[in-house]
Amino acid sequence: MKGLRWRYTRLPSQVEDTLSAEEGEEEEEETVPAPASAPAPEDPAEPQLAEASQVLGASEIRQLSLHLPARVTGHPWSLAFCTSRDGFSLQSLYRQMEGHNGPVLLVLRDQDGQMFGAFSSSAIRLSKGFYGTGETFLFSFSPQLKVFKWTGSNSFFVKGDLDSLMMGSSSGQFGLWLDGDLYHGGSHPCATFNNEVLARQEQFCIKELEAWVLS
């Protein structure tokens, strides 16, 4: 009988040890997913597009959003102009910008497949001189994102003429310029942004252009 009691008293001990070990494993399993959920707070910061972009993919949009001013973080992106819908015309771009005061993200793809553009601190419009603030910058995916912020050297941010749009300038050359047909463009290093040539060549032809209002 004592032997039976000995076996009887040890059985619960073994079960308890087994249960204790299983509970420990369960506790470890419950704590593992915690670090994986840490990036979740970044999700709300990702921009919400009213419609799909024909130029930028989800990865490019996420990368660009990290360089936008804090004041537009979380704001929806509204497609004010795109060449596939509104045609290749700078005048049409100006018309579509009427009534918008918020900052604009100008993105384009050229005939070589290169993606680049600019962020303007205010709406793109006709102007007698340059306008904008130091929030303005140029960027290029070549193929990794490169962002060229304001250097403080001059204030030649954005200028809209009837037959051309210019962003950044020095020595008579522009960081980014587009012609009146929104078909031909150019990019040169300039003091405003200390940028590289945004396209693969200084002169390029536009395949697709979009202007997103961030407000």
Side-chain angles (χ1 to χ4, degrees):
M1 294 297 291
K2 290 182 179 180
L4 290 174
R5 282 199 300 271
W6 175 253
R7 287 193 296 272
Y8 181 80
T9 55
R10 290 201 54 174
L11 183 56
S13 175
Q14 292 172 346
V15 172
E16 288 172 1
D17 291 342
T18 304
L19 289 175
S20 177
E22 290 176 350
E23 288 172 358
E25 291 176 357
E26 289 177 356
E27 289 175 359
E28 291 178 359
E29 290 174 358
E30 290 174 357
T31 56
V32 169
S37 61
E42 296 180 4
D43 295 343
E46 292 187 11
Q48 299 297 317
L49 277 62
E51 51 190 291
S53 171
Q54 301 301 313
V55 178
L56 301 175
S59 176
E60 289 81 19
I61 292 170
R62 281 194 299 270
Q63 292 179 61
L64 273 175
S65 67
L66 298 176
H67 296 275
L68 298 174
R71 67 186 179 96
V72 301
T73 300
H75 288 198
W77 292 19
S78 176
L79 186 60
F81 174 89
C82 68
T83 49
S84 61
R85 180 189 67 195
D86 304 304
F88 286 78
S89 167
L90 183 59
Q91 295 295 322
S92 179
L93 172 59
Y94 291 145
R95 285 194 296 271
Q96 295 298 105
M97 284 285 114
E98 293 177 2
H100 294 291
N101 297 317
V104 173
L105 188 66
L106 193 69
V107 299
L108 60 92
R109 182 191 292 112
D110 66 11
Q111 297 287 2
D112 292 328
Q114 184 77 359
M115 293 182 293
F116 52 94
F119 172 81
S120 173
S121 59
S122 55
I124 295 173
R125 63 180 187 273
L126 277 169
S127 61
K128 294 181 179 180
F130 282 89
Y131 64 91
T133 71
E135 291 180 329
T136 305
F137 64 81
L138 303 179
F139 65 87
S140 175
F141 289 94
S142 56
Q144 300 300 317
L145 174 62
K146 293 183 179 181
V147 174
F148 305 99
K149 298 291 183 82
W150 179 44
T151 63
S153 178
N154 60 47
S155 299
F156 302 144
F157 299 115
V158 186
K159 186 175 186 294
D161 287 346
L162 288 172
D163 56 359
S164 62
L165 176 66
M166 296 149 281
M167 308 188 80
S169 179
S170 62
S171 304
Q173 294 185 321
F174 307 102
L176 176 64
W177 71 267
L178 309 175
D179 71 357
D181 293 329
L182 292 184
Y183 181 69
H184 293 97
S187 175
H188 298 84
C190 72
T192 313
F193 303 109
N194 191 31
N195 60 286
E196 301 172 0
V197 175
L198 302 180
R200 294 178 182 174
Q201 304 179 56
E202 292 183 342
Q203 308 295 324
F204 57 84
C205 293
I206 301 170
K207 183 175 182 180
E208 185 81 31
L209 181 144
E210 298 174 346
W212 295 86
V213 176
L214 313 184
S215 60

